[in-house]
Amino acid sequence: MSVRTYVIGVGMTKFEKPGSRDWDYPDMAREAGTKALADAGVPYDEIGQAYVGYVYGESCAGQRAAYELGLTGIPVVNVNNNCATGSTALYLARQAVRLGAVECALALGFEKMKRGSLAMTYDDRAQPTLRHFESIATKYDFTGAPPAPWMFGAAGREHMERYGTTAEQFAKIGHKNHRHSVNNPYAQFQDEYSLEDVRNAPMVYEPLTKLQCSPTSDGGAAAVIAGERFVDAHGLWDRAVEIAGQSLVTDTPASFRGDAIDAVGHQMTKKAADLAYEQAGVGPRDVQVIELHDCFSTNELITYEALGLCGEGEGGALVDSGDNTYGGRYVVNPSGGLISKGHPLGATGLAQCAELTWQLRGEAGKRQVEGATAALQHNIGIGGAAVVTLYRPAG
């Protein structure tokens, strides 16, 4: 018998440009983890297991990070699932509670990154994303652009060719997310840009300009997960947000059939979303606020369709209608998303969890989506994994 699971505490650091602050990953973990425990109102010795996510770092950095919070001898599991690392740590912590292994678990994520575009760490072994590159390259020649914007830019081009989507519709997403981040004190960027600024920014890989691309970032985030018996015993119902549905899906054959949209995770996301909706007993129309993986503006638009927010090929129309921001049907990335909030890989999924927890508690300040009763999170990592999570207030 599975246990109902709840987020009872969240915390995060401000996301920063790499090298702009004198700190290391243990500092990030201590700050984020301490905030999450304080938010939950429980000490570290109540944690039964910890799942610690990071992409760039030495073996057992997860233990080194968690030791900043306490030395209780609990299992600490190191997690690496590319850009989906933070939400994978969340998935594992929730699974431990849901299946009754522990009553309370910690998901912690951090990243200390190098400046500039992502690059290979090792050149003497098989690259995990090589099959994805090769699949896209059957249709779009690899250029001098960095690999990530090339992949997601190619997916955007394919969407334009297939459905008539325009470069301006992608630019509107970058414009929206930078505008949202103005009200987020945790965001790496808090500057608002005009649509013209976004369109005229330096071109990285057409149709993606610099202001439509997520930056490299340093930072940490954490969430405390507990079962209903723990929540009840500690009187935490006023803090608790239920994880009503959650699914983790890896690549299917569709990722490697020469379709750029599927190579960057469309089918993974669709399958994960369908499973999470079924588990939660809701559909996309029941959701008001969404944090999704906008590593590039092209991916946000493609993901609208994969999550069922609109039909296939209708992402551009959803953008033009304003149904992705305040006053519309959904508010997507009220935090500013990866594009403006930042993207420290191991922390991203947990920062999304924190934002949605604050939204459902009514604690998001100027970013608050009024009347939110259901929230949706989407986090992907090429190579690959997609994690989709549905949240609702406890009760």
Side-chain angles (χ1 to χ4, degrees), residues 87-140:
S87 57
T88 301
L90 177 68
Y91 175 89
L92 292 169
R94 187 228 182 188
Q95 183 171 256
V97 173
R98 186 168 179 248
L99 299 181
V102 295
E103 290 193 330
C104 186
L106 174 70
L108 175 65
F110 61 82
E111 211 69 63
K112 184 176 175 67
M113 302 184 73
K114 294 181 179 180
R115 294 187 181 187
S117 298
L118 301 182
M120 294 186 301
T121 304
Y122 304 102
D123 60 7
D124 62 347
R125 63 204 68 183
Q127 292 300 313
T129 55
L130 181 59
R131 292 183 66 189
H132 302 78
F133 292 159
E134 291 176 339
S135 182
I136 295 172
T138 62
K139 187 180 292 187
Y140 299 94

Side-chain angles (χ1 to χ4, degrees), residues 8-218:
I8 58 171
V10 293
M12 63 180 289
T13 71
K14 188 180 191 306
F15 288 176
E16 306 273 8
K17 181 179 179 179
S20 64
R21 178 174 168 183
D22 184 19
W23 61 345
D24 201 352
Y25 73 88
D27 304 308
M28 303 170 195
R30 181 176 61 254
E31 182 180 339
T34 299
K35 285 179 177 178
L37 291 166
D39 187 45
V42 300
Y44 185 67
D45 60 14
E46 295 267 20
I47 302 295
Q49 293 182 11
Y51 295 86
V52 186
Y54 59 97
V55 176
Y56 299 106
E58 302 291 346
S59 178
C60 293
Q63 280 91 323
R64 176 64 185 88
Y67 291 169
E68 292 295 311
L69 304 174
L71 292 164
T72 57
I74 62 169
V76 176
V77 179
N78 291 252
V79 180
N80 183 342
N81 228 357
N82 210 346
C83 301
T85 291
S87 57
T88 301
L90 177 68
Y91 175 89
L92 292 169
R94 187 228 182 188
Q95 183 171 256
V97 173
R98 186 168 179 248
L99 299 181
V102 295
E103 290 193 330
C104 186
L106 174 70
L108 175 65
F110 61 82
E111 211 69 63
K112 184 176 175 67
M113 302 184 73
K114 294 181 179 180
R115 294 187 181 187
S117 298
L118 301 182
M120 294 186 301
T121 304
Y122 304 102
D123 60 7
D124 62 347
R125 63 204 68 183
Q127 292 300 313
T129 55
L130 181 59
R131 292 183 66 189
H132 302 78
F133 292 159
E134 291 176 339
S135 182
I136 295 172
T138 62
K139 187 180 292 187
Y140 299 94
D141 291 338
F142 184 67
T143 68
W150 169 72
M151 292 180 73
F152 286 93
R157 289 186 184 187
E158 187 172 73
H159 204 275
M160 296 168 80
E161 294 161 6
R162 187 174 296 171
Y163 300 115
T165 312
T166 66
E168 178 154 328
Q169 288 167 333
F170 291 128
K172 285 180 177 179
I173 290 172
H175 174 246
K176 167 186 70 72
N177 290 349
H178 283 290
R179 185 177 71 248
H180 286 180
S181 73
V182 169
N183 293 318
N184 187 358
Y186 293 101
Q188 183 170 339
F189 303 119
Q190 290 181 261
D191 297 320
E192 184 171 357
Y193 298 93
S194 68
L195 180 59
E196 193 78 2
D197 291 335
V198 176
R199 292 179 61 186
N200 293 335
M203 186 64 66
V204 179
Y205 180 80
E206 196 171 353
L208 294 170
T209 66
K210 185 177 180 179
L211 291 175
Q212 298 173 66
C213 302
S214 60
T216 51
S217 313
D218 288 350

